[in-house]
Amino acid sequence: MMETWVDVPEGSGFGIQNLPYGVFSRRGEPPRVGVAIGDQVLDLAGLAAAGLLADRRWFAAETLNVFMSAGRPAWEATRDRLTALLTDSEHRDRVEPHLVPLSEVKLHLPFEVADYVDFYSSRDHATNVGRIFRPDAAALPPNWLHLPIGYHGRSGTVVPSGTPIVRPRGQRRTEDGPVFGPSLKLDIEAEVGFVVGVPSELGRPVPTTGFRDHVFGFVLVNDWSARDIQAWEYQPLGPFLGKSFATSISPWVVPLAALESARTAPPAQDPQPLPYLRCDEPWGLDLTLEVELNGHVVSRPPFATMYWTAPQQLAHATVNGAALRTGDLMASGTVSGPERGQRGCLIELTWDGREPLELPNGRRAYLEDGDTVRIRATASGPGGVPIGFGEVAGAVLPALH
């Protein structure tokens, strides 16, 4: 098994097999690109300035976008070079000065988000929400088994992990008609998203086979949701203000190469998708998510159960000729499994508040002011080594008046 000369704590998830990219800064210094290794971050801008990496412009930037747009050959060459620098002790004296403890840095939004799309790809989640929102109709809409349903969100409200979330205000329905005020059903959605590196040409769809050539890596996503605002507004055009106020993402982007060992066959799709959605490779990902509310784990959703895969989502998002841009973020939708303890949002976990969670600090139907949510994920790497995604976290602040 590949070993690094860097001291990596056991089970850290940030071993040599991972090497996730992010953007960090030290006090008084501008942001720059780095890679997590153990409990440190490797300063790639510093390495490039020292002549140890190829192109300083990729890493001295304040986002990953320049590097992501360089394309797959650049990603692969950089990963190979970093692996060599961190495994061959001959390089240690020159590389070690560019390692910075994570405790000494601030982590930023890793890339500038171009467009944001959120899908609805868990059959268990879609079925549960359908039963809650439409108890007198079929749980799944008739198109759900034929295409990856999604909606366009707001790229300007995608925020880095740790950003406080102000409780949104809007219209909600009551027995006496619509009223305006703070959401009373603030929720989370535990998701996994991928980010586009290489753009595509307007009018030219990207097939499922083009996934590796366009997609840079994966992040964790929390798509905060105001369920009462959403329930009143979502017909006939879908989510709007109930979703657009904030979406949090993790600071580390896990590259596709780090997830090869986590690939698995997705659930069988019946009926068979139309030809443009068929994928010859198994692109399910065996990730385990963990949702923590105020320090207590309330759910462990399994990502391997997702019905629609990331290459299918990308193919569907572009089949009409829509162009990809560097920094496009596409999220999976809530990750939920068949068991109650595998549901990735509170509307499912509490069945819209009818079955509240019993926590040491009180019962919860939905989020209250002051609550903190943390979502983590781990995949299995080569030889069972954990591949960590870090976490995406946020605390709820009271609504503004």
Side-chain angles (χ1 to χ4, degrees):
M1 184 179 295
M2 190 164 42
E3 299 287 345
T4 175
W5 49 261
V6 180
D7 183 20
V8 176
E10 185 176 356
S12 86
F14 289 156
I16 189 66
Q17 296 82 3
N18 190 349
L19 302 181
Y21 293 89
V23 173
F24 75 99
S25 64
R26 303 178 78 171
R27 185 183 296 273
E29 297 181 357
R32 53 180 57 195
V33 174
V35 158
I37 179 76
D39 55 8
Q40 302 181 84
V41 57
L42 181 60
D43 179 0
L44 301 194
L47 283 183
L52 294 170
L53 284 179
D55 195 328
R56 187 180 181 186
R57 294 172 300 171
W58 294 344
F59 309 118
E62 295 190 358
T63 71
L64 282 166
N65 291 54
V66 176
F67 178 52
M68 293 194 306
S69 68
R72 185 176 169 185
W75 308 339
E76 292 177 346
T78 300
R79 183 175 175 84
D80 289 345
R81 177 60 173 164
L82 291 174
T83 300
L85 291 174
L86 293 169
T87 55
D88 188 342
S89 57
E90 178 183 334
H91 301 295
R92 181 169 184 169
D93 288 345
R94 297 183 68 194
V95 173
E96 200 162 30
H98 301 286
L99 287 168
V100 185
L102 281 168
S103 59
E104 297 180 7
V105 306
K106 177 181 179 181
L107 299 175
H108 301 269
L109 194 69
F111 52 90
E112 182 180 352
V113 182
D115 285 311
Y116 169 51
V117 174
D118 195 26
F119 286 95
Y120 193 45
S121 296
S122 164
R123 185 169 186 168
D124 294 295
H125 171 68
T127 299
N128 287 336
V129 171
R131 288 171 177 164
I132 292 169
F133 277 175
R134 301 179 299 277
D136 300 323
L140 290 179
N143 58 353
W144 199 93
L145 293 171
H146 294 273
L147 55 87
I149 294 174
Y151 75 91
H152 281 274
R154 290 191 64 159
S155 60
T157 53
V158 176
V159 297
S161 175
T163 302
I165 305 301
V166 176
R167 182 178 297 274
R169 297 192 297 167
Q171 287 192 31
R172 47 189 169 81
R173 180 171 46 195
T174 71
E175 293 181 358
D176 299 322
V179 298
F180 176 82
S183 170
L184 302 180
K185 293 185 175 182
L186 183 58
D187 200 356
I188 56 101
E189 291 192 343
E191 306 188 18
V192 177
F194 62 85
V195 57
V196 170
V198 176
S200 66
E201 182 183 343
L202 183 66
R204 186 178 296 276
V206 176
T208 57
T209 53
F211 185 75
R212 279 195 184 89
D213 292 327
H214 289 274
V215 172
F216 180 71
F218 284 82
V219 296
L220 294 181
V221 178
N222 184 351
D223 191 35
W224 303 86
S225 301
R227 299 300 186 185
D228 41 5
I229 298 173
Q230 177 186 0
W232 177 231
E233 73 178 3
Y234 84 106
Q235 293 181 338
L237 295 182
F240 186 35
L241 300 184
K243 296 276 192 176
S244 63
F245 58 95
T247 300
S248 302
I249 67 171
S250 55
W252 299 109
V253 184
V254 177
L256 295 191
L259 296 172
E260 282 296 317
S261 295
R263 287 174 53 202
T264 187
Q269 294 181 332
D270 184 21
Q272 187 179 36
L274 292 174
Y276 79 93
L277 286 171
R278 294 174 194 169
C279 194
D280 294 334
E281 293 186 83
W283 264 107
L285 289 174
D286 189 10
L287 316 180
T288 299
L289 281 70
E290 183 177 85
V291 181
E292 183 184 278
L293 174 56
N294 296 334
H296 304 282
V297 175
V298 297
S299 177
R300 289 188 171 90
F303 192 69
T305 63
M306 300 298 279
Y307 189 87
W308 294 105
T309 66
Q312 290 176 314
Q313 292 164 353
L314 187 72
H316 187 65
T318 61
V319 73
N320 66 345
L324 296 174
R325 293 192 293 168
T326 300
D328 281 354
L329 173 64
M330 300 194 186
S332 63
T334 302
V335 183
S336 290
E339 301 174 12
R340 179 176 180 180
Q342 296 177 329
R343 299 170 183 172
C345 58
L346 292 175
I347 192 173
E348 290 180 87
L349 284 167
T350 72
W351 211 252
D352 196 22
R354 294 190 283 275
E355 302 171 8
L357 296 175
E358 299 288 348
L359 300 176
N361 61 333
R363 306 175 85 195
R364 287 292 186 280
Y366 285 96
L367 296 175
E368 296 185 6
D369 294 347
D371 285 348
T372 296
V373 177
R374 299 180 185 277
I375 301 170
R376 305 180 183 91
T378 305
S380 180
V385 173
I387 301 294
F389 283 69
E391 69 174 25
V392 56
V396 179
L397 299 182
L400 299 177
H401 296 288

